[in-house]
Amino acid sequence: MSTDVTTDATVTSAALALGDDALVLSHRLGEWAGHAPVLEEEVALANIALDLLGQARVLLSLVGDEDELAYLREERAFTNLQLVEQPNGDFAHTIARQLYFSTYQYLLYTELAAGDGLFAPLAAKAVKEVAYHRDHAEQWTLRLGDGTDVSHQRMQRACAALWRFTGEMFQPVAGLDVDLPALESAWAASVTDVLRRATLAVPEGPRSGAWAAGAGRQGLHTESFGRMLAEMQHLHRSHPGASW
Amino acid sequence: MATAAHQTARTSAYDAHGGTPADAGDTAGYETAFDAAVAADERVEPRDWMPDAYRATLVRQIAQHAHSEIIGMQPEANWITRAPSLRRKAILMAKVQDEAGHGLYLYSAAETLGTGRDELLDKLHTGRQKYSSIFNYPTLTWADVGAIGWLVDGAAITNQVPLCRCSYGPYARAMVRICKEESFHQRQGYELLLALSRGTPEQHAMAQDAVDRWWWPSLMMFGPPDDESSHSAQSMAWKIKRHSNDELRQRFVDICVPQAESLGLTLPDPDLTWNEERGHHDFGPIDWTEFWDVLKGNGPCNEQRITQRRRAHEEGAWVREAAVAYADKHSAGRGVEQA
C-alpha cells in the first residue's frame, strides 16, 4: 500500500531530523572534554553529551544502521538544525546554544510523550534527561547573565549571536505531528522569562538562519559543519566494512 | 575498632587542641597512639592526630593521584570526536566523564587533610606537583584508547586495589569507588583491543602497534625500582602503601602475559619468559633514563598537557568568577528576605 510507504518515509525524516540534532550537539559537547572551566562542568557537559548520544542512537536505529547513518552520510544528507552544529565558542556560546535547544527539545518531547505516536516511548524517557539539560542551561544563563559585568556581556553577545538560528526549530518536519505555533510561543515565553531573570535583553532581529528558516532540515548547513563531519567520520571511512 | 590509646588521642587532640598537640611531650604520646592504631590496621580519620610528615605525604600522593585523573582525560579525549562507532564513542565519553569524577573524589579526599582544591590545582599548573608520567605519551591511533584501557588502567588497578586498605580512611574509601569503575574501563579497553585484533589486518596491526608503544611506559607506572624509591619505606610503615613498586610491577606482568596471548597480540620484550623456579615471568630491563626524563618534564607531551590544563583553567576564570558573584548576590538577597 502506498500509504504505508508514505508513513515510513515521513517517520524516517522525522527520526533523522531529531536523531541528527542529538548526534551533532552531542559531538559538539564532546569537544569540551578536558577544556571545561571547572571540573564539575567536565562531568555535566559529558553527561549531557552522553544523554544526547543515547537519544541519537535510538532515533537513528529507527531508520537504519546507526553507524552507517552517522559515518557514511555526506553533509547534504544531514537534517539537523543549524543551531546545534554551531561551534562551541566560549562557555557562554555553549550555554546559549544549550538554553535555546534544550528548551525546544523539552517542550517538543513533552508533547510527543503525551501523544500516542511512534516517538512517544522514546520521548517519555528522553524528556527526563532533557529536563536536566534545560535546568543546567537555565542555571548557567542566570549565573553568567547576573554574575559579573564581563560574564553579562559575554552571555548577552552569545544569546544575540545564536538568535538567528532559533526560527528553524519551528518549521514543519514531515512525520512530526506537533502544534508548532503553540510550541513556538511556549518556547519564546520560557526563554524570555529566563533571559529576563538573568538580567539579559531578549535579542532582536531575524530568526531565519543562514539560508532561510528550516535550511538545516533540508540539508543546507553552515560552513563549519563539513569540517566537524570530516573529523567525526575520518577513521570510520578509512576502514570500509570494518567493525569496531 | 579503635584501640583505647588511639581513641584517647583522637578525642583529646580534637577537644583540647583542635588536632594539634600542645607541646612536644604530648606529641610523643600521640605518636605512640598513632603508631599503635596503624599497626592494628585501624583507619586514620580527618580529625585524628597524625604526624605532619604522614599528612604531607598523603596530601602529595592524593593530590598527584587527582591530577593524574584530570591530565589523564586529555589523551583519551583526543579521540572522542573521532571514535569509529557510536557505541565506542559513548563508552569513551563515559570513561572520560568518570575520570573527571575520580578527580573530584580525590580532591575532596585531599581537602580533608586541610588543603584546598584551588591550591592543589595551582601547584599542578605551576609544576610544583606532578601527575602520572604515563599521560605524557601521545594517543596516535584509535587502538591507543584500547591500550590505555587494558594496560594503563590495568596498571593503575594493580597499584590502587591495595590502596583500598590504605591507613587513611577518606583515601581508602575513594579508592573503593574508583577501583570499581576502573575495572570496568579496563575490561572495555581489553574488549576494544580484542575487536581490533580479530578485525581486518590493518586493525590488527593498529592494535599491535599501540601495545608496542604503551607496554614499557605502563611498567614505569609502578615507579622506580625499590632500591631507588625514596618514599617507599616510610609509606609502607604507615600502611599508605602495602606492596613495593617491584612487587606490584611483577604482579602486573604476570597478569598481562596470558591476557596478551588471548588477545592474539605480543608484548614487545624479547626477554619475557616464564621462570618456573620463581613462579613468575622474567622480563627485560626498563629504560629508567626515559622514565626520569619524562618525570622531569621532557616526555613527548608534558608541555602540551600542562598548557592545555592551564589554558582551560585560565579561560574558565571568568565563568568561575561569575558563579561566585551570582552566589554572593543571591545569598545576600536571601539574607535580606529572611530578615
Side-chain angles (χ1 to χ4, degrees), chain A residues 7 20 48 64-65 79 98 113 116 129 132 145 157 168 181 185 201 217 222 227 230 234 236 239-240:
Chain A
T7 310
D20 286 349
I48 296 169
D65 179 272
T79 56
Q98 286 302 114
D116 56 1
E129 299 168 347
Y132 162 73
R157 261 202 308 271
E168 61 182 347
S185 55
R217 296 285 188 228
T222 51
R227 202 162 284 109
H234 164 260
H236 186 95
H239 297 263

Coordinates of all heavy atoms in Angstrom, one line a residue, chain A residues 7 20 48 64-65 79 98 113 116 129 132 145 157 168 181 185 201 217 222 227 230 234 236 239-240:
Chain A
T7 N 3.9 6.7 5.1 CA 4.1 6.8 6.5 C 5.6 6.5 6.9 O 6.2 7.2 7.7 CB 3.2 5.7 7.2 OG1 1.9 5.8 6.7 CG2 3.2 5.9 8.7
D20 N 19.6 13.5 14.2 CA 20.8 14.3 13.8 C 21.0 15.5 14.7 O 22.1 15.8 15.1 CB 20.6 14.8 12.3 CG 20.7 13.7 11.3 OD1 21.2 12.6 11.6 OD2 20.4 14.0 10.1
I48 N 25.6 15.4 29.6 CA 24.6 15.9 28.6 C 24.9 15.3 27.2 O 24.0 14.8 26.5 CB 24.5 17.4 28.6 CG1 24.0 17.9 29.9 CG2 23.6 17.9 27.4 CD1 24.2 19.4 30.1
G64 N 17.7 3.0 10.3 CA 18.6 2.0 9.7 C 19.8 1.7 10.6 O 19.6 1.8 11.9
D65 N 21.0 1.5 10.1 CA 22.1 1.2 10.9 C 22.7 2.5 11.4 O 23.1 3.4 10.6 CB 23.2 0.4 10.1 CG 24.4 0.1 10.9 OD1 25.3 1.0 10.9 OD2 24.5 -1.0 11.5
T79 N 20.1 16.3 8.4 CA 19.0 17.2 8.5 C 18.9 17.9 9.9 O 17.8 18.3 10.3 CB 17.7 16.5 8.2 OG1 17.6 15.4 9.1 CG2 17.7 16.0 6.8
Q98 N 22.7 25.7 24.4 CA 22.0 24.7 25.2 C 20.7 25.2 25.7 O 19.7 24.5 25.7 CB 22.8 24.4 26.5 CG 24.0 23.5 26.2 CD 23.7 22.1 25.6 OE1 24.0 21.9 24.5 NE2 22.9 21.3 26.3
A113 N 5.7 12.9 24.1 CA 5.5 11.8 25.2 C 4.0 11.7 25.5 O 3.6 10.6 25.9 CB 6.3 12.2 26.4
D116 N 0.4 9.5 21.2 CA 0.5 8.0 21.1 C 1.2 7.6 19.8 O 1.1 6.5 19.3 CB -0.9 7.4 21.1 CG -1.8 7.9 20.1 OD1 -1.4 8.8 19.3 OD2 -3.0 7.5 20.0
E129 N 15.8 13.3 30.8 CA 17.1 13.8 30.6 C 17.1 15.2 30.2 O 17.9 16.0 30.7 CB 17.8 12.9 29.5 CG 17.9 11.5 29.8 CD 18.3 10.6 28.6 OE1 18.3 11.1 27.5 OE2 18.6 9.4 28.8
Y132 N 16.8 17.9 32.8 CA 18.1 18.2 33.4 C 18.9 19.2 32.6 O 19.5 20.1 33.1 CB 18.8 16.9 33.8 CG 20.3 17.2 34.1 CD1 20.7 17.8 35.2 CD2 21.3 16.9 33.1 CE1 22.0 18.1 35.5 CE2 22.6 17.1 33.3 CZ 23.0 17.7 34.5 OH 24.3 18.0 34.8
G145 N 24.5 35.7 33.2 CA 23.9 36.9 32.9 C 23.9 37.8 34.1 O 24.2 39.0 34.0
R157 N 26.2 38.7 24.3 CA 26.7 38.5 23.0 C 26.3 37.1 22.4 O 26.0 37.0 21.3 CB 28.2 38.7 23.0 CG 28.7 40.1 22.5 CD 30.1 40.0 22.0 NE 31.1 39.4 22.9 CZ 31.7 40.0 23.9 NH1 31.5 41.3 24.1 NH2 32.6 39.3 24.7
E168 N 14.3 28.2 12.9 CA 14.2 26.9 12.2 C 13.6 25.8 13.0 O 13.2 24.8 12.5 CB 15.6 26.5 11.7 CG 16.6 26.3 12.8 CD 18.0 25.9 12.3 OE1 18.2 25.6 11.1 OE2 19.0 26.0 13.1
P181 N 3.0 26.3 16.2 CA 2.8 27.6 16.7 C 2.7 27.6 18.2 O 3.3 28.5 18.9 CB 1.4 28.1 16.1 CG 1.3 27.2 14.9 CD 1.9 25.9 15.2
S185 N 5.4 29.5 20.8 CA 5.0 30.6 21.8 C 5.5 30.1 23.2 O 5.9 30.9 24.0 CB 3.6 31.0 21.7 OG 2.8 29.9 21.8
A201 N 18.8 41.1 27.9 CA 17.8 41.5 26.9 C 17.5 40.4 26.0 O 18.4 39.7 25.5 CB 18.3 42.8 26.2
R217 N 17.2 21.5 8.1 CA 16.3 20.4 7.9 C 16.3 19.9 6.4 O 15.9 18.8 6.1 CB 14.9 20.7 8.3 CG 14.7 21.0 9.8 CD 14.7 19.7 10.6 NE 14.4 20.0 12.0 CZ 15.1 19.5 13.0 NH1 16.2 18.8 12.8 NH2 14.7 19.7 14.3
T222 N 25.8 25.2 7.7 CA 26.8 26.3 7.8 C 28.2 25.7 7.5 O 28.4 24.5 7.6 CB 26.8 27.0 9.1 OG1 26.8 26.1 10.2 CG2 25.4 27.8 9.3
R227 N 33.6 20.5 8.3 CA 34.8 20.2 9.0 C 34.6 19.3 10.2 O 35.3 18.4 10.5 CB 35.5 21.5 9.4 CG 37.0 21.4 9.6 CD 37.6 22.7 9.6 NE 37.8 23.3 8.3 CZ 37.1 24.3 7.8 NH1 36.2 24.9 8.5 NH2 37.3 24.7 6.5
A230 N 34.1 15.9 8.9 CA 35.3 15.3 8.4 C 36.1 14.6 9.6 O 36.6 13.5 9.5 CB 36.2 16.4 7.7
H234 N 36.3 10.5 9.8 CA 37.5 10.1 9.1 C 37.9 8.6 9.4 O 38.2 7.9 8.4 CB 38.6 11.0 9.5 CG 40.0 10.5 9.2 ND1 40.8 9.9 10.2 CD2 40.7 10.4 8.1 CE1 41.9 9.5 9.6 NE2 41.9 9.8 8.3
H236 N 36.3 6.0 10.6 CA 35.3 5.0 10.2 C 35.4 4.9 8.6 O 35.5 3.7 8.1 CB 33.9 5.5 10.5 CG 32.9 4.5 10.2 ND1 32.4 3.6 11.1 CD2 32.2 4.2 9.1 CE1 31.5 2.8 10.6 NE2 31.4 3.1 9.3
H239 N 38.4 2.8 7.0 CA 38.4 1.3 7.1 C 37.1 0.8 6.7 O 36.3 0.3 7.5 CB 38.7 0.9 8.6 CG 40.1 1.3 9.0 ND1 41.1 0.4 9.0 CD2 40.5 2.4 9.5 CE1 42.2 1.1 9.5 NE2 41.8 2.3 9.8
P240 N 36.8 0.8 5.4 CA 35.4 0.4 4.9 C 35.1 -1.0 5.3 O 35.9 -1.9 5.2 CB 35.6 0.5 3.4 CG 36.8 1.3 3.1 CD 37.7 1.1 4.3

